[in-house]
Amino acid sequence: MLDIAGLSASYGEAHVLNDVSLTVKPGEVVTLVGRNGAGKTTLLRAVMGLHRDIEGSISFAGRRIERLSPNARARAGIGWVPDDRGIYASLTVAENLTLPPVVHESAWSTEKIYEAFPVLALRRSSMGTQLSGGEQQMLAIARVLRMGSRLLLLDEPSEGLAPVIVQRIAEIIREITTHDIAVLLIEQNVKFATTVADRHYLLAQGRIVETLDNASFQAREPELLKHLGI
Amino acid sequence: MTRVVHPRTFGSDLNMTAFIQYTVQGLAAGGFYALAALGLAIIFGALGVVNFAHGSAYMLGAVLSAVLLTTLNVHFWAALVIVPLLMFAFGILIERLLVRWLLRLDVLYNFLLTFGLSLVLVDVVKNLYGVSGLPYEQPAGLQGLIHVGGVTLPKYQLFVFVFSVLVCVIVWVLLTRTRAGMIVRAATEDPDRARALGINVSRWITPVFGFGIAVAALSGVLAAPFRAITATMGTNFVIILFAIVVIGGLGSILGAVVAGFLVGLVEAYGQAYAGTFAQIAIFILMVIVILVRPAGLFGRRDAA
């Protein structure tokens, strides 16, 4: 579903990503693991089209997208949950949900969203900023589900959430992947990552240093954690 | 710059009647500011453009009203509709032909472009109509004074206040109750994020720019019967608009409106009670707001 080949990204003189190649298949959950500053967020921003200073190719659903605008990529089926949640302060919860267009028939209805996240239903008229961090996170995930995005780019979705909500998000990720939705995930919470992911890419200093399936990642977990410093 | 009617009574300056009259005068001036600042805030929010030509849009609104009256006998009430529509088209033209091409560059480029544009517009109007003011009568029905509960107030000032509040409310309803408004609010708060959510922000930018210019021109139409209509009437005006947008909070539409009325009041009270310090009073207010709330009255801290 997502094919990245030879991707390099820079901020002016500074090279943040170096010759990164990775794939995410339909229904697959893939994590990017690495220290802060390894280039994980830049990679997601490059896929979304928000970081334009890149070389290499990015294909989504068999089509080259690196020249497309971010809104064309979103309409093609890529959904982004940024690390700052990206909730609009001047929009209500309901408006935040319905702002983006529905891009695929698999999109969740607002009823289904409110059923899955009852707290959002209770707070649908509140302004975005009045939500707690956890509620904002749920809203950000709910928003891409309502769009019907086929590839979700999740930047630390479990950060700052209560365990019960993290568990709920893990369940939702497992549920949507049965409908061939793919997930590319940045995650510091290793327990959460190993619960939901099929494969892991280890990123260090802008390069992919290792690719592991979930079983080998779990087997080498203590060593990897030490190596990655997370 | 304002043709101030000093209803100063003999005796105490703290006279309640005089105070109410100053307040109405301030709210009328605030109406001009609020409308124009609203347009400036919307343009800044959605395009990231500091539109220095905003004062010229206000000036053109007033000049066009006067010209339409003398050449085509278009009266005030018709001008209130026709002039903003003409200026909406003018704004669209400017955005398409000029502003759009510089959006990808540093914000300084569009600041310089609109600054240059304002110089050109001022000189074009000077060339066509001279430097002395164009004549404009107060519209029939809004001339003279009205007596409200023992206080005598100029009808036209009351009208300007009520009308501008009404326009602000309509804009507010459009922004908060329609899908277009929701998209404009989102694009104003964070255009990149809106793009990543599938919103074609570029498509909204042109009409938003036109709209911002149109409200500034509407403010100019309202000013026509009340202030001296000259080519340079927008030059000081735009400086005060920038102060208003800073006081209200950069990117905050509500902030621009509230600060517009606030500055109108400060100016009127300043003229009444502090004479020549009136203009400075606005900037003292700005300094105080920046010191106490760097992001402005309604700005978010991260936007500062």
Side-chain angles (χ1 to χ4, degrees):
Chain A
M1 179 164 279
L2 177 71
D3 280 288
I4 298 176
L7 181 72
S8 298
S10 37
Y11 287 95
E13 298 281 295
H15 294 279
V16 186
L17 292 175
N18 254 313
D19 197 22
V20 167
S21 298
L22 64 81
T23 58
V24 186
K25 298 188 203 70
E28 199 178 31
V29 180
V30 171
T31 65
L32 294 168
V33 188
R35 285 171 192 255
N36 286 334
K40 305 183 300 272
T41 295
T42 304
L43 197 148
L44 293 199
R45 290 178 62 86
V47 173
M48 199 65 244
L50 294 169
H51 187 87
R52 311 290 293 198
D53 193 359
I54 61 161
E55 283 170 48
S57 75
I58 307 171
S59 303
F60 172 67
R63 174 173 162 221
R64 294 281 290 266
I65 59 163
E66 66 267 11
R67 287 181 177 279
L68 292 184
S69 63
N71 55 292
R73 297 186 203 199
R75 283 172 185 274
I78 304 179
W80 184 47
V81 176
D83 50 356
D84 67 355
R85 319 303 176 224
I87 299 306
Y88 280 106
S90 59
L91 269 58
T92 64
V93 167
E95 287 177 328
N96 265 290
L97 259 186
T98 54
L99 172 74
V102 171
V103 301
H104 193 271
E105 67 219 10
S106 68
W108 287 30
S109 65
T110 32
E111 291 76 36
K112 189 173 172 187
I113 297 273
Y114 287 143
E115 212 174 289
F117 302 96
V119 62
L120 295 182
L122 286 173
R123 310 214 53 181
R124 68 179 84 185
S125 308
S126 306
M127 299 307 280
T129 35
Q130 293 169 333
L131 300 186
S132 70
E135 288 164 345
Q136 289 193 22
Q137 183 62 271
M138 281 188 269
L139 179 55
I141 293 173
R143 187 165 58 185
V144 289
L145 295 175
R146 190 205 155 263
M147 286 176 76
S149 305
R150 303 303 292 161
L151 167 69
L152 306 190
L153 308 173
L154 307 182
D155 201 337
E156 307 234 14
S158 76
E159 195 190 9
L161 297 191
V164 57
I165 297 167
V166 174
Q167 202 183 340
R168 181 80 195 96
I169 289 173
E171 285 165 18
I172 286 169
I173 289 179
R174 270 195 233 100
E175 188 203 321
I176 58 175
T177 48
T178 61
H179 297 103
D180 274 354
I181 291 173
V183 178
L184 181 56
L185 179 75
I186 294 178
E187 193 48 74
Q188 300 273 7
N189 179 342
V190 173
K191 186 163 176 292
F192 176 72
T194 50
T195 313
V196 294
D198 301 300
R199 281 189 302 129
H200 306 267
Y201 286 99
L202 307 193
L203 212 61
Q205 284 159 356
R207 291 176 187 278
I208 287 177
V209 290
E210 211 160 347
T211 311
L212 296 164
D213 63 30
N214 201 29
S216 12
F217 186 92
Q218 281 173 304
R220 290 171 54 193
E221 196 178 305
E223 170 220 341
L224 290 170
L225 291 191
K226 200 172 160 209
H227 177 67
L228 292 164
I230 54 177
Chain B
M1 50 193 288
T2 315
R3 282 191 224 141
V4 187
V5 184
H6 279 281
R8 198 177 294 223
T9 46
F10 295 105
S12 167
D13 272 350
L14 294 168
N15 183 306
M16 200 57 203
T17 306
F19 181 77
I20 293 171
Q21 284 163 337
Y22 295 137
T23 304
V24 170
Q25 183 188 317
L27 290 174
F32 305 141
Y33 290 142
L35 286 181
L38 169 82
L40 194 66
I42 288 181
I43 289 176
F44 176 77
L47 286 81
V49 170
V50 179
N51 180 27
F52 207 94
H54 216 67
S56 308
Y58 163 80
M59 176 271 287
L60 283 178
V63 168
L64 272 177
S65 311
V67 172
L68 285 174
L69 180 69
T70 46
T71 57
L72 298 170
N73 204 24
V74 173
H75 283 278
F76 176 77
W77 299 105
L80 272 182
V81 179
I82 293 169
V83 171
L85 284 177
L86 287 174
M87 291 299 288
F88 177 77
F90 178 72
I92 290 210
L93 208 65
I94 296 294
E95 201 280 334
R96 281 278 151 145
L97 293 179
L98 303 168
V99 173
R100 161 157 306 217
W101 305 101
L102 301 179
L103 285 178
R104 277 171 188 273
L105 303 176
D106 190 275
V107 289
L108 202 56
Y109 286 86
N110 256 319
F111 183 75
L112 289 173
L113 169 78
T114 52
F115 178 63
L117 192 65
S118 71
L119 295 179
V120 171
L121 291 172
V122 167
D123 275 2
V124 166
V125 171
K126 263 188 199 166
N127 253 314
L128 288 174
Y129 306 108
V131 285
S132 56
L134 296 165
Y136 204 89
E137 287 261 309
Q138 288 199 346
L142 294 177
Q143 292 166 344
L145 303 166
I146 186 171
H147 303 280
V148 188
V151 187
T152 309
L153 299 166
K155 275 189 198 166
Y156 191 73
Q157 289 183 3
L158 272 181
F159 164 76
V160 168
F161 170 59
V162 172
F163 184 83
S164 49
V165 168
L166 200 69
V167 173
C168 289
V169 169
I170 290 170
V171 172
W172 189 249
V173 169
L174 286 175
L175 279 171
T176 54
R177 295 280 179 271
T178 65
R179 179 157 178 86
M182 178 167 92
I183 290 171
V184 169
R185 270 183 295 149
T188 304
E189 195 180 319
D190 189 336
D192 260 356
R193 199 185 296 160
R195 288 188 185 95
L197 290 170
I199 309 290
N200 188 350
V201 175
S202 317
R203 205 179 65 194
W204 291 89
I205 276 177
T206 311
V208 165
F209 190 85
F211 180 80
I213 296 291
V215 237
L218 179 63
S219 169
V221 181
L222 284 173
F226 188 63
R227 295 194 163 174
I229 307 171
T230 65
T232 51
M233 69 187 284
T235 316
N236 280 331
F237 189 79
V238 74
I239 304 293
I240 296 176
L241 285 188
F242 286 140
I244 289 168
V245 171
V246 170
I247 291 169
L250 228 53
S252 167
I253 294 161
L254 179 65
V257 171
V258 173
F261 284 108
L262 190 64
V263 163
L265 284 174
V266 166
E267 192 182 55
Y269 294 144
Q271 278 163 352
Y273 301 114
T276 46
F277 291 104
Q279 289 284 309
I280 305 172
I282 294 168
F283 294 99
I284 292 174
L285 174 68
M286 184 178 90
V287 168
I288 293 171
V289 168
I290 290 176
L291 286 175
V292 179
R293 283 183 65 94
L297 295 178
F298 291 84
R300 284 172 300 124
R301 199 169 303 156
D302 56 331

